[in-house]
Amino acid sequence: MKPAHPVPSRKRARRVVAVVVSLVCAVALSPGTAARADNPIVQHIYTADPAPMVHNGRVYLYTGHDEDGSTNFTMREWRVFSSADTVNWTDHGVPMNLATFAWADANAWAGHVTPRNGKFYWYVPVRQRSNGQMVIGVAVADSPTGPFRDALGRPLVGNGEIDPTVLVDDGGQAYLYWGNPGLWYVRLNPDMISFSGSATRIPLTTAGFGTRVGNSARPTLYEEGPWVFKRNGLYYNVFAAECCSEFIAYSTAPSPTGPWTYRGAIMPRQGSSFTNHAGVVDFNGGSYFFYHNGALPGGGGFTRSVAVEKFAYNANGTFPTITMTSTGAPQVGTLNPYVRQEAETIAWGSGIETESAGEGGVNVGWIENGDYIKVKGVAFGTGATSFSARVASASSGGRIEVRLDSSTGPIVGTCDVGSTGGWQNWTTTTCGVSGATGTRDLYLRFAGGGGNLFNINYWQFGNTAGGGNLLTNGNAENGTTGWGVLGSGTLSSHPDVVHGGTRSLGITGRTASWNGPSQNVTSRLTNGRSYTTTVWVRAQSGTPSVRATLSLTANGTTTYVSLTPAVTANANGWTLLTGTANVSWGGTLSNATFYLETAAGTDGFLIDDVSFQ
Ligand code: FUB
């Protein structure tokens, strides 16, 4: 729903900087050159306290959310973004907020998410309503994008201190660290929501955490925000040092419980925020350092933004000095425009906002004339011929200018958007495209009259040189046409419950977990190619954990390619399955079958808007 209140003032402020950035790009770039200025990662809200996590080929970035115009750490919710390439980030919305913890009333501060037991555990500091004390809560979800639910209905642990981080050691023992002004840990049990023993205070010695001058109450540099991980047998604790303002420093230890040795600074004091907060991951063969600063318009100590730099450890395992840039990390690979891309997958957004979409997921909204979305490094290859976008409008709409290289770059297509009768009444608009070849930065620039024009949920380019959806009737609009059943079960077309369009496809009567809707794609596959799958699923009975799988039979041997992870579907809404997998075989391919199955059980489920390309 569009809110009744006017467009936030920060939106107008942000557009000013985006114009400046695009001018810089226009000067610095020629067509086909990779664009710059992709830090901070998110432009449409303030984000803080990054906690990155790598899972299934994507970096998930969990953050806090500084409210507009904050003059304190006014934070009520957490956010999650994800990226396969470290430059185009998908906004997954608000998977958890203060209301998740019925016993908490304020301070949705710096947390950490860790995967375990097929679930995702999010440890956060919040203020306990009953006594006003900062404590650590833990929430759990079946998917990295949530929704997260309170795992305990009470704090996990609490002593008035903040900033939890978790290390799961090689043997499986997990440690929860937190603290400001102290530094503490407990040993978590395998269930990740209870612990053994009591909280242990880590000795803050100057040998372990450096020397702070002129503060007898805090003689070491350690301030807050520990980030503990293991690399090549060495334990690292990266932390915010010496408030205020803070810099990022680190210590190392031979074991998860110390003894710690101070190793020096990583990131100097920079960036208009008196706090900083680090998260470090390895992804796709590179190392990435996440932090926050006050780089957006209106930004500062209480209106922060998360950014990222790629770095390489020194040969002896020490950190190099890492400084803040507006360039950010280089792109990993390219973005495929011939599969469905979420509109909220953004390298740089100007003027736009995001919100929950009525048909599932998140959409881009509050679009006004001149706003735009930049998507970096889009691999058009030999050329796109069409552009389609999922749009909704309660006003008279406008148009999407499909541009390359900059927001004022060449227009390769223009799609009109009319009124759809509501901000969440979705339809698909398609227009012809000419001149989109090679790998370019894509700019979707929105144009029209005054006020909000339309919302956009997702988009996709088409071409004639292959690369389209390999499935027949993937959107299920033509009943059961094109679909068969692997094993047992009965297909039916459902006009009553749809994800998009007017029909979905259901299966009931399954007698084994591997039974499900299927299509033979033998003649359509290319050996050694990467394929992206998206499927929307919904339970008809129970809570089936649905996944897409490809069976390949070559030279008499059958192998199975997992196309998406299994995700639990429920009957109340649609859940997105998505994944990218390399498909290859040896010898002669005699059968390739795309199918949906469940991790276990025989519950019935619905599918819609299925794409395999
Ligand atoms: O975001 C609130 C607090 O600011 C965090 O918990 C600290 O790490 C500092 O970044």
Side-chain angles (χ1 to χ4, degrees):
M1 287 283 291
K2 287 270 176 177
H5 60 73
V7 174
S9 58
R10 69 189 154 82
K11 177 172 171 168
R12 289 188 290 276
R14 296 243 169 108
R15 191 173 307 142
V16 173
V17 79
V19 168
V20 171
V21 168
S22 66
L23 285 175
V24 172
C25 291
V27 171
L29 299 177
S30 57
T33 311
R36 59 173 296 276
D38 297 315
N39 269 336
I41 285 171
V42 178
Q43 304 83 41
H44 53 277
I45 57 168
Y46 295 115
T47 53
D49 302 326
M53 178 194 78
V54 174
H55 178 72
N56 273 352
R58 293 184 77 81
V59 183
Y60 289 86
L61 174 62
Y62 301 88
T63 75
H65 175 197
D66 285 341
E67 297 291 332
D68 291 1
S70 286
T71 54
N72 209 324
F73 295 117
T74 309
M75 304 170 79
R76 305 188 185 104
E77 64 185 22
W78 294 269
R79 309 284 294 218
V80 59
F81 307 85
S82 76
S83 177
D85 61 14
T86 76
V87 300
N88 296 304
W89 289 89
T90 305
D91 183 345
H92 298 285
V94 182
M96 190 167 88
N97 61 24
L98 285 174
T100 304
F101 303 100
W103 43 267
D105 67 352
N107 299 352
W109 288 359
H112 184 195
V113 177
T114 195
R116 185 119 193 229
N117 311 325
K119 297 187 185 305
F120 301 85
Y121 296 89
W122 199 341
Y123 303 84
V124 287
V126 284
R127 192 174 73 183
Q128 189 170 4
R129 180 181 292 107
S130 61
N131 59 8
Q133 187 186 58
M134 288 302 291
V135 295
I136 311 300
V138 55
V140 63
D142 298 324
S143 145
T145 55
F148 285 79
R149 57 191 181 278
D150 186 0
L152 292 170
R154 58 177 167 76
L156 169 63
V157 63
N159 60 0
E161 301 199 29
I162 61 173
D163 289 2
T165 185
V166 168
L167 164 79
V168 182
D169 206 0
D170 295 341
Q173 177 63 58
Y175 298 83
L176 174 76
Y177 305 83
W178 77 101
N180 176 353
L183 179 57
W184 304 80
Y185 73 87
V186 289
R187 286 186 170 82
L188 291 173
N189 294 329
D191 66 7
M192 300 298 278
I193 58 171
S194 63
F195 59 87
S196 297
S198 52
T200 300
R201 183 190 279 272
I202 296 173
L204 288 177
T205 63
T206 54
F209 296 92
T211 303
R212 186 184 318 218
V213 178
N215 186 339
S216 56
R218 301 183 83 138
T220 79
L221 294 173
Y222 177 80
E223 181 72 20
E224 60 183 354
W227 182 268
V228 180
F229 62 97
K230 185 180 188 182
R231 180 178 180 272
N232 292 342
L234 190 63
Y235 296 83
Y236 292 73
N237 184 349
V238 176
F239 56 88
E242 202 178 45
C243 189
C244 292
S245 57
E246 295 172 340
F247 64 99
I248 302 294
Y250 76 115
S251 304
T252 62
S255 88
T257 56
W260 295 96
T261 300
Y262 182 61
R263 296 294 179 192
I266 301 174
M267 176 169 274
R269 295 181 173 94
Q270 288 180 299
S272 314
S273 163
F274 66 88
T275 65
N276 197 351
H277 192 110
V280 184
V281 288
D282 282 350
F283 173 66
N284 200 54
S287 297
Y288 293 85
F289 188 90
F290 292 79
Y291 58 96
H292 69 219
N293 60 23
L296 282 182
F302 302 117
T303 43
R304 299 161 292 178
S305 292
V306 169
V308 63
E309 309 295 340
K310 189 178 183 188
F311 73 99
Y313 290 91
N314 296 319
N316 62 1
T318 56
F319 268 91
T321 299
I322 302 171
T323 55
M324 300 180 184
T325 75
S326 62
T327 315
Q331 185 168 14
V332 174
T334 54
L335 183 135
N336 182 354
Y338 301 114
V339 299
R340 169 179 161 155
Q341 297 290 349
E342 299 304 314
E344 63 275 13
T345 297
I346 297 170
W348 193 272
S350 174
I352 57 93
E353 306 278 337
T354 62
E355 63 182 343
S356 291
E359 60 179 7
V362 168
N363 66 260
V364 169
W366 287 272
I367 291 172
E368 293 175 302
N369 181 44
D371 293 348
Y372 67 84
I373 291 168
K374 169 190 169 187
V375 185
K376 190 169 176 174
V378 178
F380 291 106
T382 53
T385 54
S386 65
F387 173 80
S388 298
R390 188 80 168 157
V391 291
S393 176
S395 69
S396 55
R399 60 188 190 277
I400 305 171
E401 296 172 353
V402 183
R403 293 176 180 262
L404 302 181
D405 310 327
S406 81
S407 63
T408 55
I411 295 179
V412 294
T414 301
C415 268
D416 291 326
V417 180
S419 173
T420 63
W423 294 115
Q424 293 294 332
N425 289 354
W426 295 97
T427 189
T428 301
T429 180
T430 301
C431 51
V433 169
S434 170
T437 59
T439 296
R440 312 278 280 269
D441 292 340
L442 167 70
Y443 285 74
L444 301 178
R445 183 179 180 277
F446 309 113
N452 294 135
L453 304 178
F454 49 85
N455 292 344
I456 174 166
N457 194 1
Y458 51 87
W459 56 263
Q460 181 169 342
F461 284 83
N463 64 10
T464 52
N469 193 351
L470 269 56
L471 301 176
T472 302
N473 187 28
N475 60 12
E477 294 302 293
N478 292 325
T480 59
T481 302
W483 291 95
V485 176
L486 187 65
S488 301
T490 304
L491 295 179
S492 52
S493 179
H494 285 253
D496 45 352
V497 185
V498 299
H499 171 259
T502 58
R503 290 181 173 275
S504 66
L505 183 71
I507 184 162
T508 53
R510 302 165 65 239
T511 58
S513 64
W514 53 270
N515 297 165
S518 69
Q519 292 206 16
N520 188 310
V521 291
T522 314
S523 62
R524 303 175 193 172
L525 290 179
T526 302
N527 201 356
R529 236 201 75 182
S530 173
Y531 289 89
T532 298
T533 305
T534 56
V535 188
W536 288 90
V537 296
R538 187 170 178 141
Q540 294 209 83
S541 59
T543 51
S545 190
V546 186
R547 64 187 173 209
T549 305
L550 181 70
S551 74
L552 297 170
T553 303
N555 285 10
T557 302
T558 300
T559 56
Y560 298 89
V561 180
S562 178
L563 299 175
T564 72
V567 178
T568 302
N570 62 62
N572 301 324
W574 291 91
T575 301
L576 178 63
L577 299 181
T578 186
T580 301
N582 214 53
V583 173
S584 60
W585 61 86
T588 305
L589 184 69
S590 55
N591 183 278
T593 300
F594 172 98
Y595 62 103
L596 283 310
E597 60 176 340
T598 52
T602 58
D603 285 328
F605 57 88
L606 298 165
I607 59 172
D608 202 355
D609 295 331
V610 188
S611 134
F612 175 56
Q613 53 191 323

